[in-house]
Amino acid sequence: MKKITIAIDGLSSCGKSTMAKDLAKRIGYIYVDTGAMYRAVTLYALRNDLFNEDDSVKIEELEKKMDEINIHFQFNEETGRPDTYLNGELVEKEIRSMEVSNHVSAIAAIPFVRTVMVDQQQKMGKEKGIVMDGRDIGTVVFPDAELKIFVTASAEVRAQRRFDELKGKGMEADYDDILKNVQERDYLDSHREVSPLRQADDAIVLDNSELTIEGQNEWLYQEYEKVAHE
């Protein structure tokens, strides 16, 4: 069976990372959460006072600091999934906070940030055998990926999932705030000048609003099987 590149794009909080992680584990592929990379840069910016009072980014200061931002993933034996590390610190929980969620779209829209991240992502996937999810994987990072999936769900469903996830981790959460954040991120992600979120022409669309995690995982595995056996 040939090794392929699997690109999973989609709206925020639509479950694409969960399905990507589960597929990678099932078929023995490397998984990369590109959203976590942008979240890690955002966490660094928040910790280092790189946002103005109006929440705009201090662009020139961040650009000077990019060489100091080291992001890597380390497999967690307990969860069976990779964790995100920022400059050697485990930040998997911190990057999922609402504060980071409220700032990440501004960071992800910056051209030099995307250039650095995309370069790292392409190096990670050079040997194939990789599942990568994000906003521009099938359109920019791996336009030649053998399997491209675009995941969507209603804003209300996605907000409820995010709410349940945060509460499950013991973190503070307000449904209305989360719904507003989801809607704002949809707009910002799809309207930014550099690598906007859009469905690749050859991507297969999955609306998982009514699907269970098990259901979407099986659907994705079947799509993988079709391509890997070609």
Side-chain angles (χ1 to χ4, degrees):
M1 192 184 300
K2 66 179 181 181
K3 275 191 174 182
I4 64 172
T5 298
I6 302 170
I8 302 179
D9 292 306
L11 302 168
S12 65
S13 303
C14 63
K16 59 186 180 295
S17 294
T18 298
M19 63 192 294
K21 289 173 186 175
D22 289 344
L23 178 65
K25 184 179 179 182
R26 183 172 180 177
I27 64 178
Y29 274 25
I30 294 167
Y31 165 71
V32 177
D33 179 356
T34 64
M37 297 173 73
Y38 290 103
R39 284 176 172 272
V41 176
T42 304
L43 180 64
Y44 179 92
L46 286 165
R47 287 178 169 181
N48 289 273
D49 190 32
L50 297 177
F51 284 94
N52 296 303
E53 287 187 12
D54 64 355
D55 284 340
S56 61
V57 183
K58 298 177 181 177
I59 302 287
E60 291 182 7
E61 292 181 36
L62 175 61
E63 188 166 18
K64 292 174 185 175
K65 297 281 189 179
M66 285 303 293
D67 288 342
E68 298 177 15
I69 302 175
N70 179 263
I71 301 163
H72 77 276
F73 296 94
Q74 192 168 310
F75 188 75
N76 184 323
E77 295 284 353
E78 192 174 314
T79 64
R81 293 174 172 177
D83 287 332
T84 309
Y85 285 76
L86 171 62
N87 294 336
E89 175 193 352
L90 174 62
V91 292
E92 190 62 35
K93 184 176 180 180
E94 289 80 358
I95 63 173
R96 309 297 172 184
S97 70
M98 278 305 296
E99 185 179 23
V100 170
S101 293
N102 286 331
H103 291 84
V104 66
S105 289
I107 290 289
I110 299 170
F112 65 77
V113 173
R114 297 205 74 83
T115 297
V116 172
M117 296 296 105
V118 168
D119 181 61
Q120 290 184 20
Q121 292 154 16
Q122 289 174 331
K123 286 176 181 174
M124 291 176 188
K126 193 168 54 176
E127 303 300 322
K128 296 188 179 289
I130 193 165
V131 183
M132 195 174 287
D133 77 272
R135 302 288 193 281
D136 63 348
I137 311 306
T139 54
V140 175
V141 183
F142 295 120
D144 297 325
E146 291 87 346
L147 178 60
K148 298 179 186 179
I149 307 293
F150 190 87
V151 191
T152 184
S154 72
E156 290 75 17
V157 165
R158 289 182 284 133
Q160 186 63 51
R161 288 174 180 167
R162 182 83 175 125
F163 175 83
D164 293 341
E165 178 188 5
L166 291 172
K167 296 297 283 187
K169 292 179 179 177
M171 299 170 72
E172 288 295 317
D174 179 276
Y175 173 80
D176 290 333
D177 287 345
I178 294 171
L179 178 59
K180 182 183 177 186
N181 173 257
V182 164
Q183 293 168 332
E184 287 176 347
R185 288 182 66 192
D186 285 352
Y187 181 84
L188 291 170
D189 289 344
S190 60
H191 286 79
R192 65 184 177 222
E193 289 186 23
V194 181
S195 303
L197 169 67
R198 66 175 181 83
Q199 177 191 330
D201 294 337
D202 53 347
I204 304 166
V205 179
L206 171 66
D207 184 334
N208 66 4
S209 297
E210 305 297 327
L211 285 178
T212 63
I213 290 176
E214 293 76 16
Q216 70 176 14
N217 285 353
E218 192 56 36
W219 178 90
L220 180 59
Y221 181 72
Q222 294 303 323
E223 293 301 325
Y224 156 74
E225 284 275 283
K226 291 176 192 174
V227 177
H229 285 289
E230 283 180 355

Short mmCIF file of all heavy atoms in Angstrom, two decimals, residues 11 105-106 108-110 114 135 182-199:
data_model
loop_
_atom_site.label_atom_id
_atom_site.label_comp_id
_atom_site.label_asym_id
_atom_site.label_seq_id
_atom_site.Cartn_x
_atom_site.Cartn_y
_atom_site.Cartn_z
N LEU A 11 -13.43 24.55 8.93
CA LEU A 11 -13.76 25.64 9.84
C LEU A 11 -13.24 25.35 11.24
O LEU A 11 -12.94 24.20 11.58
CB LEU A 11 -15.29 25.83 9.87
CG LEU A 11 -15.94 26.12 8.52
CD1 LEU A 11 -17.45 26.00 8.63
CD2 LEU A 11 -15.56 27.51 8.03
N SER A 105 -6.47 34.27 15.13
CA SER A 105 -6.72 34.64 13.74
C SER A 105 -5.87 35.82 13.30
O SER A 105 -5.44 35.90 12.14
CB SER A 105 -8.22 34.95 13.53
OG SER A 105 -8.98 33.77 13.60
N ALA A 106 -5.63 36.76 14.22
CA ALA A 106 -4.79 37.93 13.90
C ALA A 106 -3.36 37.49 13.63
O ALA A 106 -2.70 37.99 12.70
CB ALA A 106 -4.84 38.93 15.05
N ALA A 108 -2.41 34.41 12.66
CA ALA A 108 -2.39 33.54 11.48
C ALA A 108 -2.50 34.32 10.18
O ALA A 108 -2.18 33.79 9.11
CB ALA A 108 -3.51 32.51 11.58
N ALA A 109 -2.95 35.56 10.24
CA ALA A 109 -3.11 36.38 9.03
C ALA A 109 -1.83 37.10 8.63
O ALA A 109 -1.76 37.68 7.54
CB ALA A 109 -4.22 37.40 9.25
N ILE A 110 -0.80 37.03 9.47
CA ILE A 110 0.44 37.77 9.21
C ILE A 110 1.29 36.99 8.19
O ILE A 110 1.65 35.82 8.44
CB ILE A 110 1.23 37.98 10.51
CG1 ILE A 110 0.38 38.81 11.49
CG2 ILE A 110 2.56 38.67 10.23
CD1 ILE A 110 0.97 38.89 12.89
N ARG A 114 2.96 33.01 8.45
CA ARG A 114 2.51 31.91 7.60
C ARG A 114 3.66 31.33 6.79
O ARG A 114 3.76 30.12 6.59
CB ARG A 114 1.38 32.36 6.67
CG ARG A 114 0.12 32.80 7.40
CD ARG A 114 -1.12 32.66 6.55
NE ARG A 114 -1.51 31.26 6.40
CZ ARG A 114 -2.24 30.59 7.31
NH1 ARG A 114 -2.64 31.18 8.41
NH2 ARG A 114 -2.55 29.32 7.09
N ARG A 135 -6.06 25.15 7.88
CA ARG A 135 -6.95 25.98 7.06
C ARG A 135 -6.52 26.01 5.59
O ARG A 135 -7.33 26.29 4.72
CB ARG A 135 -6.93 27.44 7.57
CG ARG A 135 -7.34 27.63 9.01
CD ARG A 135 -8.83 27.42 9.22
NE ARG A 135 -9.24 27.90 10.52
CZ ARG A 135 -9.07 27.25 11.66
NH1 ARG A 135 -8.47 26.07 11.66
NH2 ARG A 135 -9.49 27.75 12.80
N VAL A 182 -16.37 31.71 17.37
CA VAL A 182 -16.43 30.83 16.20
C VAL A 182 -16.84 31.62 14.96
O VAL A 182 -16.23 31.49 13.88
CB VAL A 182 -17.42 29.67 16.46
CG1 VAL A 182 -17.79 28.96 15.16
CG2 VAL A 182 -16.80 28.66 17.43
N GLN A 183 -17.87 32.44 15.09
CA GLN A 183 -18.36 33.22 13.95
C GLN A 183 -17.34 34.25 13.49
O GLN A 183 -17.13 34.45 12.28
CB GLN A 183 -19.68 33.90 14.33
CG GLN A 183 -20.81 32.91 14.54
CD GLN A 183 -22.04 33.52 15.20
OE1 GLN A 183 -21.93 34.49 15.96
NE2 GLN A 183 -23.21 32.96 14.93
N GLU A 184 -16.66 34.88 14.43
CA GLU A 184 -15.64 35.88 14.08
C GLU A 184 -14.45 35.21 13.39
O GLU A 184 -13.92 35.74 12.41
CB GLU A 184 -15.17 36.62 15.33
CG GLU A 184 -16.20 37.60 15.88
CD GLU A 184 -15.76 38.26 17.18
OE1 GLU A 184 -14.77 37.78 17.79
OE2 GLU A 184 -16.40 39.24 17.60
N ARG A 185 -14.05 34.05 13.88
CA ARG A 185 -12.92 33.35 13.28
C ARG A 185 -13.25 32.86 11.88
O ARG A 185 -12.41 32.89 10.98
CB ARG A 185 -12.48 32.18 14.18
CG ARG A 185 -11.77 32.65 15.45
CD ARG A 185 -11.31 31.48 16.28
NE ARG A 185 -10.27 30.73 15.58
CZ ARG A 185 -9.86 29.52 15.98
NH1 ARG A 185 -10.42 28.94 17.03
NH2 ARG A 185 -8.90 28.90 15.34
N ASP A 186 -14.48 32.42 11.67
CA ASP A 186 -14.90 32.02 10.32
C ASP A 186 -14.70 33.17 9.34
O ASP A 186 -14.18 32.98 8.23
CB ASP A 186 -16.38 31.61 10.31
CG ASP A 186 -16.63 30.25 10.93
OD1 ASP A 186 -15.65 29.54 11.23
OD2 ASP A 186 -17.81 29.90 11.12
N TYR A 187 -15.13 34.34 9.75
CA TYR A 187 -15.02 35.51 8.87
C TYR A 187 -13.56 35.88 8.64
O TYR A 187 -13.13 36.06 7.49
CB TYR A 187 -15.77 36.71 9.48
CG TYR A 187 -15.70 37.94 8.58
CD1 TYR A 187 -16.60 38.10 7.53
CD2 TYR A 187 -14.71 38.90 8.77
CE1 TYR A 187 -16.51 39.20 6.69
CE2 TYR A 187 -14.62 40.00 7.94
CZ TYR A 187 -15.53 40.15 6.90
OH TYR A 187 -15.42 41.23 6.07
N LEU A 188 -12.79 35.98 9.72
CA LEU A 188 -11.39 36.38 9.60
C LEU A 188 -10.58 35.37 8.79
O LEU A 188 -9.77 35.74 7.94
CB LEU A 188 -10.77 36.57 10.99
CG LEU A 188 -11.29 37.75 11.81
CD1 LEU A 188 -10.76 37.67 13.24
CD2 LEU A 188 -10.88 39.08 11.17
N ASP A 189 -10.80 34.09 9.05
CA ASP A 189 -10.03 33.05 8.36
C ASP A 189 -10.32 33.03 6.86
O ASP A 189 -9.44 32.76 6.05
CB ASP A 189 -10.34 31.66 8.96
CG ASP A 189 -9.76 31.49 10.36
OD1 ASP A 189 -8.89 32.28 10.74
OD2 ASP A 189 -10.20 30.56 11.06
N SER A 190 -11.56 33.30 6.50
CA SER A 190 -11.94 33.23 5.08
C SER A 190 -11.71 34.54 4.32
O SER A 190 -11.76 34.57 3.10
CB SER A 190 -13.40 32.81 4.95
OG SER A 190 -14.25 33.72 5.60
N HIS A 191 -11.43 35.63 5.05
CA HIS A 191 -11.25 36.93 4.40
C HIS A 191 -9.82 37.47 4.49
O HIS A 191 -9.56 38.57 3.98
CB HIS A 191 -12.21 37.96 5.00
CG HIS A 191 -13.63 37.77 4.56
ND1 HIS A 191 -14.45 36.81 5.11
CD2 HIS A 191 -14.38 38.39 3.61
CE1 HIS A 191 -15.64 36.86 4.54
NE2 HIS A 191 -15.62 37.79 3.62
N ARG A 192 -8.90 36.74 5.13
CA ARG A 192 -7.54 37.25 5.20
C ARG A 192 -6.89 37.25 3.82
O ARG A 192 -7.26 36.44 2.95
CB ARG A 192 -6.71 36.44 6.19
CG ARG A 192 -6.48 35.01 5.80
CD ARG A 192 -5.72 34.25 6.88
NE ARG A 192 -5.57 32.85 6.51
CZ ARG A 192 -5.73 31.83 7.33
NH1 ARG A 192 -6.05 32.04 8.59
NH2 ARG A 192 -5.57 30.59 6.90
N GLU A 193 -5.91 38.12 3.64
CA GLU A 193 -5.28 38.26 2.32
C GLU A 193 -4.38 37.08 1.96
O GLU A 193 -4.30 36.67 0.81
CB GLU A 193 -4.47 39.57 2.28
CG GLU A 193 -5.33 40.83 2.25
CD GLU A 193 -4.49 42.08 2.07
OE1 GLU A 193 -3.36 41.95 1.55
OE2 GLU A 193 -4.95 43.16 2.45
N VAL A 194 -3.68 36.55 2.96
CA VAL A 194 -2.72 35.47 2.71
C VAL A 194 -3.34 34.12 3.09
O VAL A 194 -3.80 33.93 4.21
CB VAL A 194 -1.43 35.69 3.53
CG1 VAL A 194 -0.42 34.58 3.24
CG2 VAL A 194 -0.82 37.04 3.20
N SER A 195 -3.36 33.19 2.15
CA SER A 195 -3.85 31.83 2.37
C SER A 195 -5.19 31.77 3.10
O SER A 195 -5.30 31.17 4.16
CB SER A 195 -2.80 31.03 3.18
OG SER A 195 -1.57 31.00 2.53
N PRO A 196 -6.21 32.42 2.55
CA PRO A 196 -7.52 32.37 3.22
C PRO A 196 -8.08 30.95 3.24
O PRO A 196 -7.74 30.13 2.40
CB PRO A 196 -8.39 33.29 2.35
CG PRO A 196 -7.76 33.21 0.99
CD PRO A 196 -6.28 33.11 1.25
N LEU A 197 -8.91 30.69 4.23
CA LEU A 197 -9.59 29.40 4.32
C LEU A 197 -10.54 29.25 3.13
O LEU A 197 -11.41 30.08 2.92
CB LEU A 197 -10.39 29.31 5.62
CG LEU A 197 -11.36 28.14 5.74
CD1 LEU A 197 -10.60 26.82 5.81
CD2 LEU A 197 -12.25 28.30 6.96
N ARG A 198 -10.33 28.19 2.36
CA ARG A 198 -11.27 27.89 1.28
C ARG A 198 -11.15 26.41 0.93
O ARG A 198 -10.14 25.77 1.21
CB ARG A 198 -10.99 28.74 0.03
CG ARG A 198 -9.68 28.47 -0.69
CD ARG A 198 -9.55 29.27 -1.97
NE ARG A 198 -8.31 28.99 -2.67
CZ ARG A 198 -8.12 27.95 -3.49
NH1 ARG A 198 -9.12 27.10 -3.72
NH2 ARG A 198 -6.95 27.75 -4.09
N GLN A 199 -12.19 25.90 0.35
CA GLN A 199 -12.21 24.50 -0.05
C GLN A 199 -11.40 24.31 -1.33
O GLN A 199 -11.63 25.01 -2.32
CB GLN A 199 -13.65 24.06 -0.27
CG GLN A 199 -13.81 22.64 -0.77
CD GLN A 199 -15.23 22.36 -1.21
OE1 GLN A 199 -16.17 22.95 -0.69
NE2 GLN A 199 -15.38 21.49 -2.19
#
